[in-house]
């Protein structure tokens, strides 16, 4: 799990159907910003996600990209509008 950018339960959803976690669960909190592509998950499952927004209280809302981590790994460290 050392390569994860954001520890998250990929099955947990907020009221809008997005995945969520907290900035406190990020290995590099400065990278967690809207549009960032991160590797999220836990020891059970991982996925490349796009951060939709970060609330003032530190809650991170994200969408899971379709496809495997291997297919989407090239998107990591990128930011999209």
């Amino acid at each position: 799990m050392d390569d994860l950018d954001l520890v998250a339960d990929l099955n947990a959803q907020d009221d809008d159907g997005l995945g969520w976690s907290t900035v406190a669960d990020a290995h590099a909190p400065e990278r967690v910003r809207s549009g960032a592509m991160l590797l999220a998950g836990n020891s059970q499952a991982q996925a490349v996600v796009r951060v939709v927004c970060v609330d003032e209280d530190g809650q991170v809302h994200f969408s899971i990209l379709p496809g495997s981590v291997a297919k989407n790994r090239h998107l990591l460290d990128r930011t999209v509008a």
Side-chain angles (χ1 to χ4, degrees):
M1 286 194 4
D2 290 337
D3 60 338
L4 288 176
D5 298 311
L6 183 65
V7 176
D9 176 353
L10 298 179
N11 291 314
Q13 293 184 347
D14 65 12
D15 293 338
D16 296 320
L18 297 170
W20 69 274
S21 186
T22 64
V23 173
D25 290 322
H27 285 101
E30 66 278 2
R31 292 190 52 226
V32 180
R33 60 193 182 284
S34 293
M37 301 288 202
L38 305 174
L39 182 61
N42 54 38
S43 62
Q44 315 271 293
Q46 300 84 38
V48 176
V49 303
R50 183 181 59 83
V51 176
V52 174
C53 68
V54 181
D55 294 341
E56 288 181 15
D57 65 355
Q59 192 172 52
V60 180
H61 304 271
F62 59 82
S63 59
I64 299 173
L65 274 61
S68 68
V69 171
K71 176 184 172 190
N72 293 317
R73 189 170 294 278
H74 69 283
L75 297 171
L76 295 173
D77 297 327
R78 292 192 184 173
T79 300
V80 294

